[in-house]
Amino acid sequence: VLAEEKDPKKLTAKEIMTKNIATVSMDDTYESAFQKMAQLGTTAIPVTKQSKLIGLLEFQKAFKFKEQR
């Protein structure tokens, strides 16, 4: 934002949002979702159902869940 010399008070979410976001399906396995996050170098990934956003899978929360099992 600052590098582009834009006024942050006038920016819209559309102007700074990430486009073409990687997602996982709610039917993907735990392992495949984490593999995708590792490949992307991210700690969270949107979860979709029929191309609609239904949630966000976060590494820390899911890792704790897996440890408890």
PDB file of all heavy atoms in Angstrom, residues 22-45:
ATOM      1  N   ALA A  22      -5.934 -20.413  -3.522  1.00  0.00           N
ATOM      2  CA  ALA A  22      -5.950 -21.873  -3.436  1.00  0.00           C
ATOM      3  C   ALA A  22      -6.925 -22.271  -2.335  1.00  0.00           C
ATOM      4  O   ALA A  22      -7.008 -21.613  -1.293  1.00  0.00           O
ATOM      5  CB  ALA A  22      -4.559 -22.393  -3.120  1.00  0.00           C
ATOM      6  N   THR A  23      -7.672 -23.338  -2.564  1.00  0.00           N
ATOM      7  CA  THR A  23      -8.640 -23.818  -1.582  1.00  0.00           C
ATOM      8  C   THR A  23      -8.567 -25.334  -1.479  1.00  0.00           C
ATOM      9  O   THR A  23      -7.921 -25.992  -2.292  1.00  0.00           O
ATOM     10  CB  THR A  23     -10.087 -23.442  -1.977  1.00  0.00           C
ATOM     11  OG1 THR A  23     -10.412 -24.094  -3.212  1.00  0.00           O
ATOM     12  CG2 THR A  23     -10.255 -21.950  -2.115  1.00  0.00           C
ATOM     13  N   VAL A  24      -9.227 -25.865  -0.481  1.00  0.00           N
ATOM     14  CA  VAL A  24      -9.440 -27.308  -0.375  1.00  0.00           C
ATOM     15  C   VAL A  24     -10.934 -27.540  -0.266  1.00  0.00           C
ATOM     16  O   VAL A  24     -11.678 -26.678   0.199  1.00  0.00           O
ATOM     17  CB  VAL A  24      -8.707 -27.933   0.837  1.00  0.00           C
ATOM     18  CG1 VAL A  24      -7.206 -27.849   0.662  1.00  0.00           C
ATOM     19  CG2 VAL A  24      -9.125 -27.303   2.145  1.00  0.00           C
ATOM     20  N   SER A  25     -11.352 -28.697  -0.698  1.00  0.00           N
ATOM     21  CA  SER A  25     -12.755 -29.079  -0.592  1.00  0.00           C
ATOM     22  C   SER A  25     -13.019 -29.635   0.802  1.00  0.00           C
ATOM     23  O   SER A  25     -12.123 -30.205   1.436  1.00  0.00           O
ATOM     24  CB  SER A  25     -13.080 -30.149  -1.632  1.00  0.00           C
ATOM     25  OG  SER A  25     -14.323 -30.753  -1.352  1.00  0.00           O
ATOM     26  N   MET A  26     -14.243 -29.493   1.271  1.00  0.00           N
ATOM     27  CA  MET A  26     -14.575 -30.058   2.580  1.00  0.00           C
ATOM     28  C   MET A  26     -14.434 -31.581   2.594  1.00  0.00           C
ATOM     29  O   MET A  26     -14.319 -32.187   3.654  1.00  0.00           O
ATOM     30  CB  MET A  26     -15.976 -29.651   3.007  1.00  0.00           C
ATOM     31  CG  MET A  26     -17.097 -30.209   2.153  1.00  0.00           C
ATOM     32  SD  MET A  26     -18.710 -29.748   2.780  1.00  0.00           S
ATOM     33  CE  MET A  26     -19.103 -31.167   3.768  1.00  0.00           C
ATOM     34  N   ASP A  27     -14.379 -32.193   1.425  1.00  0.00           N
ATOM     35  CA  ASP A  27     -14.223 -33.646   1.326  1.00  0.00           C
ATOM     36  C   ASP A  27     -12.765 -34.095   1.208  1.00  0.00           C
ATOM     37  O   ASP A  27     -12.486 -35.285   1.217  1.00  0.00           O
ATOM     38  CB  ASP A  27     -15.019 -34.169   0.129  1.00  0.00           C
ATOM     39  CG  ASP A  27     -16.510 -33.916   0.287  1.00  0.00           C
ATOM     40  OD1 ASP A  27     -17.027 -34.056   1.423  1.00  0.00           O
ATOM     41  OD2 ASP A  27     -17.160 -33.566  -0.710  1.00  0.00           O
ATOM     42  N   ASP A  28     -11.834 -33.143   1.093  1.00  0.00           N
ATOM     43  CA  ASP A  28     -10.410 -33.498   1.028  1.00  0.00           C
ATOM     44  C   ASP A  28      -9.970 -34.098   2.357  1.00  0.00           C
ATOM     45  O   ASP A  28     -10.500 -33.749   3.418  1.00  0.00           O
ATOM     46  CB  ASP A  28      -9.548 -32.276   0.725  1.00  0.00           C
ATOM     47  CG  ASP A  28      -9.662 -31.822  -0.720  1.00  0.00           C
ATOM     48  OD1 ASP A  28     -10.197 -32.577  -1.545  1.00  0.00           O
ATOM     49  OD2 ASP A  28      -9.214 -30.703  -1.013  1.00  0.00           O
ATOM     50  N   THR A  29      -8.976 -34.958   2.312  1.00  0.00           N
ATOM     51  CA  THR A  29      -8.464 -35.546   3.545  1.00  0.00           C
ATOM     52  C   THR A  29      -7.629 -34.523   4.311  1.00  0.00           C
ATOM     53  O   THR A  29      -7.124 -33.558   3.744  1.00  0.00           O
ATOM     54  CB  THR A  29      -7.572 -36.775   3.259  1.00  0.00           C
ATOM     55  OG1 THR A  29      -6.404 -36.342   2.541  1.00  0.00           O
ATOM     56  CG2 THR A  29      -8.325 -37.843   2.490  1.00  0.00           C
ATOM     57  N   TYR A  30      -7.486 -34.789   5.578  1.00  0.00           N
ATOM     58  CA  TYR A  30      -6.646 -33.976   6.458  1.00  0.00           C
ATOM     59  C   TYR A  30      -5.237 -33.867   5.883  1.00  0.00           C
ATOM     60  O   TYR A  30      -4.669 -32.786   5.797  1.00  0.00           O
ATOM     61  CB  TYR A  30      -6.644 -34.654   7.831  1.00  0.00           C
ATOM     62  CG  TYR A  30      -5.787 -34.011   8.870  1.00  0.00           C
ATOM     63  CD1 TYR A  30      -6.293 -33.008   9.672  1.00  0.00           C
ATOM     64  CD2 TYR A  30      -4.471 -34.420   9.063  1.00  0.00           C
ATOM     65  CE1 TYR A  30      -5.508 -32.424  10.652  1.00  0.00           C
ATOM     66  CE2 TYR A  30      -3.688 -33.841  10.031  1.00  0.00           C
ATOM     67  CZ  TYR A  30      -4.207 -32.846  10.820  1.00  0.00           C
ATOM     68  OH  TYR A  30      -3.430 -32.259  11.779  1.00  0.00           O
ATOM     69  N   GLU A  31      -4.677 -35.010   5.505  1.00  0.00           N
ATOM     70  CA  GLU A  31      -3.312 -35.043   4.999  1.00  0.00           C
ATOM     71  C   GLU A  31      -3.153 -34.237   3.704  1.00  0.00           C
ATOM     72  O   GLU A  31      -2.187 -33.503   3.538  1.00  0.00           O
ATOM     73  CB  GLU A  31      -2.846 -36.484   4.776  1.00  0.00           C
ATOM     74  CG  GLU A  31      -2.560 -37.246   6.057  1.00  0.00           C
ATOM     75  CD  GLU A  31      -3.810 -37.800   6.736  1.00  0.00           C
ATOM     76  OE1 GLU A  31      -4.894 -37.825   6.101  1.00  0.00           O
ATOM     77  OE2 GLU A  31      -3.708 -38.184   7.905  1.00  0.00           O
ATOM     78  N   SER A  32      -4.107 -34.350   2.792  1.00  0.00           N
ATOM     79  CA  SER A  32      -3.986 -33.615   1.530  1.00  0.00           C
ATOM     80  C   SER A  32      -4.122 -32.108   1.748  1.00  0.00           C
ATOM     81  O   SER A  32      -3.445 -31.317   1.098  1.00  0.00           O
ATOM     82  CB  SER A  32      -4.992 -34.112   0.488  1.00  0.00           C
ATOM     83  OG  SER A  32      -6.314 -33.785   0.849  1.00  0.00           O
ATOM     84  N   ALA A  33      -4.960 -31.716   2.693  1.00  0.00           N
ATOM     85  CA  ALA A  33      -5.109 -30.290   2.999  1.00  0.00           C
ATOM     86  C   ALA A  33      -3.814 -29.729   3.572  1.00  0.00           C
ATOM     87  O   ALA A  33      -3.357 -28.653   3.178  1.00  0.00           O
ATOM     88  CB  ALA A  33      -6.263 -30.080   3.972  1.00  0.00           C
ATOM     89  N   PHE A  34      -3.187 -30.478   4.469  1.00  0.00           N
ATOM     90  CA  PHE A  34      -1.937 -30.005   5.067  1.00  0.00           C
ATOM     91  C   PHE A  34      -0.784 -30.048   4.070  1.00  0.00           C
ATOM     92  O   PHE A  34       0.097 -29.189   4.102  1.00  0.00           O
ATOM     93  CB  PHE A  34      -1.611 -30.787   6.332  1.00  0.00           C
ATOM     94  CG  PHE A  34      -2.298 -30.182   7.512  1.00  0.00           C
ATOM     95  CD1 PHE A  34      -3.601 -30.517   7.795  1.00  0.00           C
ATOM     96  CD2 PHE A  34      -1.667 -29.238   8.298  1.00  0.00           C
ATOM     97  CE1 PHE A  34      -4.261 -29.938   8.865  1.00  0.00           C
ATOM     98  CE2 PHE A  34      -2.317 -28.645   9.365  1.00  0.00           C
ATOM     99  CZ  PHE A  34      -3.613 -28.992   9.648  1.00  0.00           C
ATOM    100  N   GLN A  35      -0.806 -31.009   3.190  1.00  0.00           N
ATOM    101  CA  GLN A  35       0.207 -31.061   2.147  1.00  0.00           C
ATOM    102  C   GLN A  35       0.101 -29.826   1.246  1.00  0.00           C
ATOM    103  O   GLN A  35       1.104 -29.217   0.885  1.00  0.00           O
ATOM    104  CB  GLN A  35       0.064 -32.343   1.324  1.00  0.00           C
ATOM    105  CG  GLN A  35       1.138 -32.509   0.274  1.00  0.00           C
ATOM    106  CD  GLN A  35       0.995 -33.831  -0.465  1.00  0.00           C
ATOM    107  OE1 GLN A  35      -0.102 -34.370  -0.606  1.00  0.00           O
ATOM    108  NE2 GLN A  35       2.109 -34.348  -0.927  1.00  0.00           N
ATOM    109  N   LYS A  36      -1.118 -29.439   0.916  1.00  0.00           N
ATOM    110  CA  LYS A  36      -1.324 -28.266   0.073  1.00  0.00           C
ATOM    111  C   LYS A  36      -0.850 -27.003   0.795  1.00  0.00           C
ATOM    112  O   LYS A  36      -0.200 -26.141   0.203  1.00  0.00           O
ATOM    113  CB  LYS A  36      -2.802 -28.150  -0.311  1.00  0.00           C
ATOM    114  CG  LYS A  36      -3.060 -27.194  -1.446  1.00  0.00           C
ATOM    115  CD  LYS A  36      -4.478 -27.357  -1.951  1.00  0.00           C
ATOM    116  CE  LYS A  36      -4.665 -26.719  -3.299  1.00  0.00           C
ATOM    117  NZ  LYS A  36      -6.014 -26.929  -3.820  1.00  0.00           N
ATOM    118  N   MET A  37      -1.158 -26.892   2.093  1.00  0.00           N
ATOM    119  CA  MET A  37      -0.697 -25.737   2.851  1.00  0.00           C
ATOM    120  C   MET A  37       0.826 -25.686   2.894  1.00  0.00           C
ATOM    121  O   MET A  37       1.425 -24.618   2.750  1.00  0.00           O
ATOM    122  CB  MET A  37      -1.260 -25.745   4.271  1.00  0.00           C
ATOM    123  CG  MET A  37      -2.682 -25.271   4.348  1.00  0.00           C
ATOM    124  SD  MET A  37      -3.220 -24.910   6.035  1.00  0.00           S
ATOM    125  CE  MET A  37      -3.480 -26.548   6.658  1.00  0.00           C
ATOM    126  N   ALA A  38       1.460 -26.839   3.068  1.00  0.00           N
ATOM    127  CA  ALA A  38       2.921 -26.900   3.103  1.00  0.00           C
ATOM    128  C   ALA A  38       3.512 -26.476   1.764  1.00  0.00           C
ATOM    129  O   ALA A  38       4.480 -25.715   1.715  1.00  0.00           O
ATOM    130  CB  ALA A  38       3.374 -28.303   3.474  1.00  0.00           C
ATOM    131  N   GLN A  39       2.934 -26.945   0.680  1.00  0.00           N
ATOM    132  CA  GLN A  39       3.415 -26.585  -0.654  1.00  0.00           C
ATOM    133  C   GLN A  39       3.293 -25.084  -0.897  1.00  0.00           C
ATOM    134  O   GLN A  39       4.139 -24.479  -1.546  1.00  0.00           O
ATOM    135  CB  GLN A  39       2.638 -27.335  -1.733  1.00  0.00           C
ATOM    136  CG  GLN A  39       2.937 -28.806  -1.803  1.00  0.00           C
ATOM    137  CD  GLN A  39       1.979 -29.552  -2.724  1.00  0.00           C
ATOM    138  OE1 GLN A  39       0.908 -29.066  -3.077  1.00  0.00           O
ATOM    139  NE2 GLN A  39       2.366 -30.765  -3.097  1.00  0.00           N
ATOM    140  N   LEU A  40       2.228 -24.495  -0.377  1.00  0.00           N
ATOM    141  CA  LEU A  40       1.979 -23.071  -0.574  1.00  0.00           C
ATOM    142  C   LEU A  40       2.703 -22.191   0.447  1.00  0.00           C
ATOM    143  O   LEU A  40       2.781 -20.981   0.282  1.00  0.00           O
ATOM    144  CB  LEU A  40       0.472 -22.784  -0.501  1.00  0.00           C
ATOM    145  CG  LEU A  40      -0.375 -23.443  -1.579  1.00  0.00           C
ATOM    146  CD1 LEU A  40      -1.847 -23.317  -1.240  1.00  0.00           C
ATOM    147  CD2 LEU A  40      -0.073 -22.825  -2.938  1.00  0.00           C
ATOM    148  N   GLY A  41       3.202 -22.812   1.508  1.00  0.00           N
ATOM    149  CA  GLY A  41       3.870 -22.053   2.555  1.00  0.00           C
ATOM    150  C   GLY A  41       2.910 -21.182   3.345  1.00  0.00           C
ATOM    151  O   GLY A  41       3.241 -20.067   3.744  1.00  0.00           O
ATOM    152  N   THR A  42       1.709 -21.699   3.591  1.00  0.00           N
ATOM    153  CA  THR A  42       0.695 -20.935   4.303  1.00  0.00           C
ATOM    154  C   THR A  42       0.264 -21.683   5.564  1.00  0.00           C
ATOM    155  O   THR A  42       0.478 -22.880   5.689  1.00  0.00           O
ATOM    156  CB  THR A  42      -0.526 -20.676   3.390  1.00  0.00           C
ATOM    157  OG1 THR A  42      -1.433 -19.818   4.063  1.00  0.00           O
ATOM    158  CG2 THR A  42      -1.228 -21.951   2.996  1.00  0.00           C
ATOM    159  N   THR A  43      -0.325 -20.975   6.499  1.00  0.00           N
ATOM    160  CA  THR A  43      -0.785 -21.593   7.740  1.00  0.00           C
ATOM    161  C   THR A  43      -2.298 -21.707   7.811  1.00  0.00           C
ATOM    162  O   THR A  43      -2.841 -22.147   8.811  1.00  0.00           O
ATOM    163  CB  THR A  43      -0.286 -20.795   8.958  1.00  0.00           C
ATOM    164  OG1 THR A  43      -0.756 -19.453   8.853  1.00  0.00           O
ATOM    165  CG2 THR A  43       1.234 -20.803   9.021  1.00  0.00           C
ATOM    166  N   ALA A  44      -2.965 -21.298   6.746  1.00  0.00           N
ATOM    167  CA  ALA A  44      -4.427 -21.405   6.693  1.00  0.00           C
ATOM    168  C   ALA A  44      -4.848 -21.505   5.233  1.00  0.00           C
ATOM    169  O   ALA A  44      -4.172 -20.992   4.351  1.00  0.00           O
ATOM    170  CB  ALA A  44      -5.082 -20.204   7.353  1.00  0.00           C
ATOM    171  N   ILE A  45      -5.977 -22.200   5.025  1.00  0.00           N
ATOM    172  CA  ILE A  45      -6.480 -22.353   3.658  1.00  0.00           C
ATOM    173  C   ILE A  45      -8.012 -22.376   3.694  1.00  0.00           C
ATOM    174  O   ILE A  45      -8.605 -23.014   4.572  1.00  0.00           O
ATOM    175  CB  ILE A  45      -5.892 -23.620   2.994  1.00  0.00           C
ATOM    176  CG1 ILE A  45      -6.128 -23.618   1.488  1.00  0.00           C
ATOM    177  CG2 ILE A  45      -6.378 -24.891   3.658  1.00  0.00           C
ATOM    178  CD1 ILE A  45      -5.257 -24.585   0.726  1.00  0.00           C
TER     179      ILE A  45
END
